[in-house]
Amino acid sequence: MAIDWQKEVDARKDDLLDDLKELLKVKSERDDDKITADAPFGPGPRDGLKQMLSYGERDGFTVKNVDNYAGHIEFGEGEETLGIFGHMDVVPAGDDWDTDPYDPVVKDGKLFARGSSDDKGPSIAAYYAMKIIKELNLPLSKKVRFVVGSDEESGWGDMDHYFEKEETPDFGFSPDAEFPIINGEKGNVSIEVHIETANDGDYVLEQFQGGLRANMVPTSAFARVKTVTAEQADAMDIAFSEYLGINPITGSSDREENTIIFRVAGKGSHGASPQFGHNAATWLANFLDKYDFADGAKNFLHVAGSYIHEDFYGKNLGVDFKDPKMGQLTMNAGIFDFDINKDHSLINLNFRYPQGTSADTIQAVINDTIGEYGVSLSIGGHHMLPHYVPQEDPLVETLLDVYEEHTGEKGEEQIIGGGTYGRLLERGVAFGAMFPGAKDTMHQANEFMVLDDLYRAAVIYADAIYRLAK
């Protein structure tokens, strides 16, 4: 039976875009200060989840909300279940947007909004693919279940809770990465570095802040420094202006007598690809590290400004590692928190590591390398092991066949540092929705999704879901 998937998507373009815009208006950033029993990750992720599930209810699917942690939209019959995994939570919008990140705008064929490419846009494309198959009443031999999460960008607590209550699909994919396929994902672990904050000398670090999430390159940082004399503060001020002039960052400084407040703006990037950003916090630490701070501040600034600064592969810390198949370990320093009124500071180092090394090894080597600076280390957040589905698996073969037929391009396996819900299943992969050569704006200001790519992804998803479930 020949089905013109392009025709079916074209007939639903307006509805698809309207639904996506409504979804993008929901500010579904995790907010721990507003967590309640009804909103386990804050009201935003809950409302995004409910909005997505409401489309399934409207369109006659079987829908279940699992305690506002996650839910699913399902149809079809059979002993096996094909799982599709998307998420409605987003990373914080941050600064430097040209438009309101939660008021979606179409400009030059692109839809600008936080979540447009990660992951509300791709999720809507996959949902409409399911909707087409259902509305055409095509025969299936398997259940198709779209699992909707709300904590993918943080700790994956949504999926932990969901799978305590619901059965695990047999195989599937997540529309949360790129084409032609992602059938391997590196391990993902955050190592938290703690250093005492007490410091007393000619230069006193009172505060240092940078970064919003472990999986984002910090776009801004600020520090508050107190000096003994006005002359010292004057000299720092002049040196900071010179430092900004010769490096790929911008910034400013303000004076309050002998106290200087430094601000730096860098360039954001996804934490899985820190080499494409400019880490505002490490650049600021690198500048301050040249001054005679004492005790905890000296150690904090030296670790951040010398061992971590501009080192995206953990070489200075001694943890660099490369696997022939899965590639190179990467490191993102995503969160910096130093406050003299607290006992300890925090630097969060997020590692995407290949098979052949481990979180315990990474932690042990870091401790050996910088232990002399009074650090204490711990593993923080959700730790994910490396994941790989062989290219010969029928799931991978089918998805690559569909991609090749619809694009005319050769499909090859890919392994990435990013973590997707595809790794939730032993036979799980990531599949789209970003096409080769497209600009990646995930986790950045002015995030966008090219509308033609969105509709093209929906065509591919419809064909793929039908082939896997018919």
Side-chain angles (χ1 to χ4, degrees), residues 144-413:
V144 179
R145 174 181 297 176
F146 194 114
V147 181
V148 185
S150 65
D151 189 40
E152 194 269 354
E153 299 291 3
S154 297
W156 290 33
D158 55 346
M159 292 296 105
D160 291 340
H161 185 83
Y162 177 82
F163 285 118
E164 288 176 0
K165 303 291 184 72
E166 300 296 321
E167 64 182 15
T168 302
D170 297 280
F171 63 102
F173 68 87
S174 175
D176 189 22
E178 57 194 77
F179 290 118
I181 201 167
I182 304 296
N183 58 314
E185 299 180 12
K186 296 176 185 177
N188 185 338
V189 67
S190 285
I191 305 293
E192 295 183 346
V193 181
H194 302 273
I195 302 173
E196 290 186 359
T197 57
N199 67 107
D200 186 14
D202 285 353
Y203 299 88
V204 175
L205 182 63
E206 296 183 334
Q207 209 170 0
F208 187 109
Q209 303 286 332
L212 298 170
R213 288 284 191 274
N215 59 357
M216 300 171 67
V217 173
T219 58
S220 63
F222 107 101
R224 184 182 181 92
V225 175
K226 186 175 182 180
T227 64
V228 173
T229 67
E231 290 77 14
Q232 289 171 321
D234 290 339
M236 285 190 84
D237 234 346
I238 294 170
F240 185 62
S241 295
E242 294 174 348
Y243 183 77
L244 294 175
I246 60 175
N247 289 303
I249 51 173
T250 59
S252 63
S253 60
D254 296 313
R255 288 284 295 278
E256 298 173 1
E257 297 182 349
N258 292 359
T259 298
I260 312 177
I261 298 173
F262 298 98
R263 291 183 174 85
V264 168
K267 177 186 176 184
S269 181
H270 195 296
S273 304
Q275 65 272 26
F276 298 129
H278 297 304
N279 192 315
T282 68
W283 278 103
L284 179 54
N286 178 258
F287 168 75
L288 295 175
D289 186 34
K290 298 173 176 61
Y291 291 88
D292 191 21
F293 288 87
D295 307 318
K298 181 180 182 67
N299 292 335
F300 176 88
L301 293 172
H302 189 60
V303 168
S306 293
Y307 281 91
I308 298 172
H309 177 58
E310 290 293 274
D311 183 10
F312 312 114
Y313 308 107
K315 292 181 180 179
N316 295 338
L317 292 174
V319 298
D320 56 311
F321 183 85
K322 187 173 183 179
D323 173 74
K325 179 175 282 290
M326 300 196 80
Q328 196 163 20
L329 172 149
T330 60
M331 178 184 77
N332 179 56
I335 301 174
F336 296 77
D337 182 15
F338 185 106
D339 189 325
I340 199 170
N341 296 314
K342 300 178 182 178
D343 291 335
H344 289 86
S345 61
L346 167 69
I347 302 173
N348 185 297
L349 302 177
N350 181 244
F351 293 91
R352 311 299 172 103
Y353 67 93
Q355 57 191 5
T357 186
S358 68
D360 289 341
T361 298
I362 294 169
Q363 184 173 352
V365 173
I366 293 174
N367 189 66
D368 289 342
T369 305
I370 60 173
E372 64 182 291
Y373 299 105
V375 306
S376 61
L377 306 176
S378 62
I379 293 179
H382 194 82
H383 177 204
M384 294 178 284
L385 299 173
H387 172 76
Y388 179 71
V389 181
Q391 192 166 356
E392 299 76 26
D393 187 289
L395 169 66
V396 177
E397 289 182 337
T398 299
L399 294 178
L400 287 178
D401 285 346
V402 172
Y403 172 80
E404 290 176 357
E405 290 181 24
H406 285 278
T407 65
E409 302 290 335
K410 178 65 177 174
E412 299 285 353
E413 72 172 2

Side-chain angles (χ1 to χ4, degrees), residues 30-51:
R30 176 167 173 157
D31 189 344
D32 288 354
D33 292 334
K34 296 181 180 179
I35 286 176
T36 65
D38 182 61
F41 309 110
R46 175 202 62 195
D47 294 346
L49 171 65
K50 286 187 170 183
Q51 182 69 31

